[in-house]
Amino acid sequence: MYPKELLYTKEHEWVKVDGDTAKIGITSHAQDQLGDIVFVELPKVGDKAHATQSFGTVESVKAVSDIYAPVSGDIVAINEDLIDAPEKINEDPHVGGWLISVKISDKTELDTLMTADDYAAYVSAESES
Amino acid sequence: MPDGRTQDLFPLFTVHRSLLTNSGSPLICVSLSFPPMDDALLKTPLNEVHRASGARMVDFGGWDMPVQYPAGIAAEHMAVRTGVGLFDVSHMGEIEVTGPQALDLLEKVTCNRVANLQDGQAHYTGLLNEQGGFIDDLLVHRVGEGHYFLCVNASNQDKDYAHIAAQAEGDVKVDFVSKSWAQIAVQGPKAVATVQKLTDANLEAIQYYWFSQGVVAGVPGILARTGYTGEDGFELYVPASAAVEAWNAVLEAGKDAGILPCGLGARNTLRLEAAMALHGHEISETITPLEAGLAWIVKLDKGDFIGRDALVRQKEQGAPRKLIGFEMRDRGIGRDGYPVVVGDKQAGVVTSGGPSPYLGTNIGMALVEQPAPGIGEPIGIEIRGKKTAAEVVKRPFYKRDRA
């Protein structure tokens, strides 16, 4: 359910590390809980992302949610497809529904993130609490 | 029309953290985790049915209610616009007023003219305070002479009952009968045909805002041609003990029409498109019917009623605020509680706003200071600190074609 090659946050974002860049999105669990996503607000290329701080919002029919950066760095790309097709996040959260790509400034920040198995356990524990 | 929201302008669902949390904005957030059964929450007789069908449950003003089923809010919304949907609204309150002076009592506590109702007819009205604000909005059904059946909002029902009972004088009895009743709303262009399969009553003979007592799905109840979606349909009041039976029968009867069970999420988007007021949003203890565009339910010439003096004064002086409809022009969604900017000045607040699944636009209603901007004029909605363009448009945003 959660791809092994990704890392995960407690705030339900995922990170795909490729060299010194990181692609960031929200997890399948997050999109499922939010429901039909209708709007995404993303930063601009060239803006900076700061770990644990909000870099954008995702809106479903009923809710607005902040998205937090798992790692810090310059934003090098945003997923323009989401502007007209935010539902992509529901349809393909871990690949086509990516949000931004960041040039990682401090790789040690990745150490705090969860593996797929840890995240799965975290989600099921959270659902039961 | 009433719904179950809390009084508070910014109510409800369990707020979770970060991604699934409210971003400092006053609006509704869906809980991330499947909430555990909370014994402190009130439950309708259909609670188990919702959980078994995979509904996402939320704390809705103290009630454990389905916000959506697996199909999702948008699909549920469209089922009601194009086919038929089924809602559990058993959390709504029911109050019976009986006796020779029942009419006098209701004329005193509500603003619409109860004397106009005939047997089997219902109307929308307000239970007002002395300032002309809404203690609640409600439906009054005239069952017979000296016998009225009131449907009120879930989260206001206790105070509504207390208020009405306190105003009772002479030969009249006020009974709080919520626990006896379940209420199931069947809504959409195929709703009447769906319910017709389950009853011998001739539904086509029941006009909009009329009702009939009859047997539906083998259960004795009240079949009211009312609703909170902007579509044709029925609200079925059945004994609480027969709720599951009735629910399952309607689901089965609507199968061919593609019926979907619908949660409070779709109920809210549907009523928003239809520009129907929600207590705690478009109307409240501090918002009058004249401000909320509901002058049609205020009968100042019917004789005295609670709130009348305040409304007479407000009518003479002009209401200080006005409810408007808007559609977003820039990208962005104007949500409940966001500030409204007219010219360069903050002049009001969004009372309800969100995406319109049917129209594919972002719409909302806002209460703004007079002089309010007219249809076609630009306004701004402040979305997370950024002024975003919108335009005043006519309400309702959606109106069904009537055959």
Side-chain angles (χ1 to χ4, degrees):
Chain A
M1 161 137 201
Y2 302 109
K4 299 279 183 205
E5 66 274 22
L6 308 183
L7 295 170
Y8 299 87
T9 71
K10 287 185 176 173
E11 286 76 32
H12 309 284
E13 292 91 10
W14 56 259
V15 180
K16 186 182 183 192
V17 180
D18 181 9
D20 60 355
T21 64
K23 223 174 219 187
I24 296 164
I26 70 169
T27 67
S28 169
H29 176 70
Q31 67 76 25
D32 180 58
Q33 293 292 318
L34 285 168
D36 304 307
I37 291 170
V38 294
F39 187 75
V40 184
E41 194 171 81
L42 295 175
K44 288 189 280 294
V45 171
D47 287 355
K48 279 191 194 314
H50 301 280
T52 75
Q53 290 184 23
S54 167
F55 68 82
T57 53
V58 170
E59 300 196 32
S60 66
V61 175
K62 276 206 93 65
V64 178
S65 299
D66 280 330
I67 323 160
Y68 292 85
V71 289
S72 307
D74 291 331
I75 294 164
V76 294
I78 64 163
N79 187 352
E80 308 265 1
D81 294 350
L82 299 181
I83 293 166
D84 292 323
E87 65 276 9
K88 259 203 148 113
I89 296 173
N90 294 118
E91 292 160 3
D92 189 15
H94 295 139
V95 184
W98 67 280
L99 299 168
I100 60 169
S101 186
V102 169
K103 189 165 189 312
I104 305 169
S105 60
D106 178 2
K107 279 210 163 187
T108 64
E109 285 171 355
L110 295 170
D111 299 343
T112 62
L113 304 178
M114 286 180 277
T115 64
D117 288 345
D118 290 347
Y119 179 68
Y122 171 74
V123 166
S124 72
E126 199 181 45
S127 300
E128 280 160 21
S129 68
Chain B
M1 228 201 72
D3 190 89
R5 284 253 179 117
T6 52
Q7 175 78 15
D8 175 5
L9 249 179
F10 316 126
L12 34 154
F13 307 130
T14 316
V15 171
H16 228 269
R17 298 190 55 227
S18 59
L19 178 61
L20 303 163
T21 305
N22 171 337
S23 59
S25 328
L27 51 86
I28 299 152
C29 265
V30 181
S31 165
L32 168 61
S33 50
F34 192 79
M37 207 49 123
D38 182 344
D39 288 335
L41 291 179
L42 296 161
K43 295 177 186 69
T44 78
L46 290 159
N47 190 276
E48 296 286 334
V49 174
H50 302 319
R51 288 182 172 269
S53 65
R56 180 157 302 142
M57 307 298 285
V58 294
D59 174 357
F60 184 80
W63 289 79
D64 187 46
M65 294 297 288
V67 67
Q68 65 171 79
Y69 296 82
I73 294 173
E76 293 166 22
H77 183 109
M78 292 308 289
V80 173
R81 285 279 176 261
T82 62
V84 54
L86 173 64
F87 302 77
D88 175 19
V89 283
S90 302
H91 58 315
M92 305 285 288
E94 288 86 13
I95 297 168
E96 262 187 283
V97 182
T98 51
Q101 283 172 283
L103 175 62
D104 296 338
L105 173 60
L106 291 173
E107 292 288 27
K108 179 166 115 187
V109 298
T110 67
C111 57
N112 209 334
R113 194 191 315 270
V114 188
N116 277 1
L117 291 176
Q118 298 173 41
D119 291 354
Q121 194 179 13
H123 72 197
Y124 176 62
T125 185
L127 191 68
L128 305 184
N129 58 30
E130 290 289 356
Q131 294 73 44
F134 281 89
I135 296 169
D136 203 0
D137 60 342
L138 69 160
L139 293 180
V140 173
H141 305 74
R142 177 173 152 134
V143 180
E145 191 171 345
H147 187 181
Y148 296 87
F149 182 82
L150 280 44
C151 176
V152 304
N153 279 302
S155 52
N156 292 331
Q157 54 188 312
D158 294 339
K159 72 169 181 176
D160 293 347
Y161 169 69
H163 174 74
I164 297 168
Q167 295 297 331
E169 286 174 315
D171 198 355
V172 56
K173 207 158 143 271
V174 182
D175 291 304
F176 195 23
V177 295
S178 291
K179 286 203 170 65
S180 311
W181 293 97
Q183 190 187 339
I184 295 171
V186 190
Q187 300 280 299
K190 293 177 181 164
V192 175
T194 298
V195 179
Q196 189 64 77
K197 289 185 189 172
L198 301 171
T199 181
D200 292 335
N202 178 12
L203 299 185
E204 282 307 336
I206 303 174
Q207 300 292 305
Y208 193 51
Y209 270 76
W210 288 72
F211 65 95
S212 172
Q213 296 180 73
V215 175
V216 59
V219 175
I222 297 168
L223 298 84
R225 199 159 187 171
T226 52
Y228 192 53
T229 60
E231 295 300 333
D232 195 2
F234 277 85
E235 293 182 307
L236 308 173
Y237 299 83
V238 296
S241 57
V244 174
E245 203 178 324
W247 176 269
N248 289 333
V250 175
L251 268 185
E252 184 60 32
K255 218 175 195 171
D256 295 343
I259 195 167
L260 285 182
C262 303
L264 297 179
R267 187 165 159 84
N268 192 50
T269 52
L270 288 158
R271 72 93 197 167
L272 174 60
E273 283 180 355
M276 292 167 133
L278 173 60
H279 194 266
H281 291 243
E282 285 69 38
I283 55 175
S284 74
E285 298 255 6
T286 57
I287 303 171
T288 72
L290 302 183
E291 293 176 307
L294 294 169
W296 62 275
I297 64 168
V298 178
K299 303 291 156 51
L300 292 175
D301 59 352
K302 75 168 183 173
D304 198 25
F305 62 89
I306 296 170
R308 182 180 180 277
D309 292 348
L311 294 176
V312 167
R313 275 197 305 278
Q314 194 171 69
K315 197 178 174 190
E316 281 166 11
Q317 294 163 2
R321 299 173 296 183
K322 185 184 177 187
L323 191 73
I324 58 166
F326 67 85
E327 195 176 288
M328 298 304 300
R329 288 293 172 254
D330 281 347
R331 278 169 37 78
I333 304 172
R335 303 263 186 180
D336 309 20
Y338 287 6
V340 175
V341 179
V342 177
D344 287 326
K345 189 170 145 274
Q346 187 181 322
V349 67
V350 175
T351 53
S352 300
S356 158
Y358 184 81
L359 302 170
T361 55
N362 295 316
I363 58 173
M365 293 187 272
L367 194 62
V368 299
E369 289 166 16
Q370 291 277 26
I375 309 286
E377 289 187 41
I379 58 170
I381 309 292
E382 209 177 295
I383 302 181
R384 295 180 285 279
K386 199 172 113 196
K387 187 177 159 186
T388 310
E391 183 180 315
V392 180
V393 299
K394 255 170 66 177
R395 290 176 302 138
F397 308 95
Y398 167 84
K399 198 169 186 182
R400 74 174 190 267
D401 294 326
R402 293 195 193 219

